[in-house]
Amino acid sequence: MSTETSKTLEDALAGSGGLDTLLRDLTDRAVQAVPGAVACSVTVRREGRLMTLAGSAGLPSGLDLRQYEHASGPCVAAAEENAEQYAADLERETRWPEYRRYALSVGVRSVLAVPLAVEGETGAAINFYALRPGALDAGRDRARAFAERAGEAIGAALRLERAQASAADVRTALLTRSVIDQAIGILMAQDRISARTAMERLRRVSQQTNVKLRDLCTDLVARVSGAGAGASTGPGSARPQPRGR
């Protein structure tokens, strides 16, 4: 992926409100691009299970879920077998009986599931739904072409999401370390103890009060700085009490 493409996707993610909104827009555009399609969804395997990453407007929520529950259906087969699945008329379809019954009950008559090549993901598909039998016949080539472009875009967007999550984890860790260091410094100054003794005291009080160490330190720092004046004295605001030297 080029730097320019990465920047474009990063800007799109920021401007759209995140990955969910971006991929919802992608599925909406897929419906417009494929003749006969009235709804579209994207299936991706994450953390060992298939899930719907995004769905267009008008997509019945149970269409994909029924497939995951029974491990059977066109999008499951397309993702797991890396092979296109097409049911021109579900009334005549003999595969996927549980899914077929549900799809017909919500008015879906034709389904096309095209495998997606998404870097870093094992098993993905883009799924197109139609209300008339054979409605997707003329759009299969367009669906394949859209799937090729969508696989690259989804892969890039997921990489950016992982990078952003990693950066957020680093920021959280740094903030946590900072507030713990501040709390240690406060106890060292108040009670003239070593950093090791201050840390041991903080951990002991955290265990005794069942309050996370980070929250305990945040409360102590807030109290000393005056920001916590009038705060609750319950377990959520417990702090190490000075001990005689």
Side-chain angles (χ1 to χ4, degrees), residues 182 186 190 217-229:
Q182 291 178 61
I186 289 169
Q190 283 183 344
C217 293
T218 298
D219 182 70
L220 175 57
V221 172
R223 285 174 178 274
V224 171
S225 67

Side-chain angles (χ1 to χ4, degrees), residues 185-243:
I186 289 169
L187 291 183
M188 289 174 66
Q190 283 183 344
D191 297 349
R192 299 185 183 281
I193 57 178
S194 68
R196 179 176 179 178
T197 300
M199 187 69 220
E200 289 174 351
R201 185 179 299 178
L202 287 165
R203 284 177 174 158
R204 183 170 60 251
V205 175
S206 172
Q207 293 170 356
Q208 291 173 347
T209 59
N210 197 29
V211 176
K212 290 182 180 179
L213 181 62
R214 177 191 61 203
D215 295 339
L216 188 74
C217 293
T218 298
D219 182 70
L220 175 57
V221 172
R223 285 174 178 274
V224 171
S225 67
S232 168
T233 57
S237 59
R239 71 176 184 87
Q241 298 299 318
R243 296 191 176 186

Side-chain angles (χ1 to χ4, degrees), residues 14 42 44 52 59 61 63 88 91 115 130 137 150 153 163-164 166 189 203 227 240:
V42 173
V44 173
T52 297
L59 177 70
S61 59
L63 271 175
E91 285 279 11
D137 289 351
Q164 290 171 350
S166 178
R203 284 177 174 158

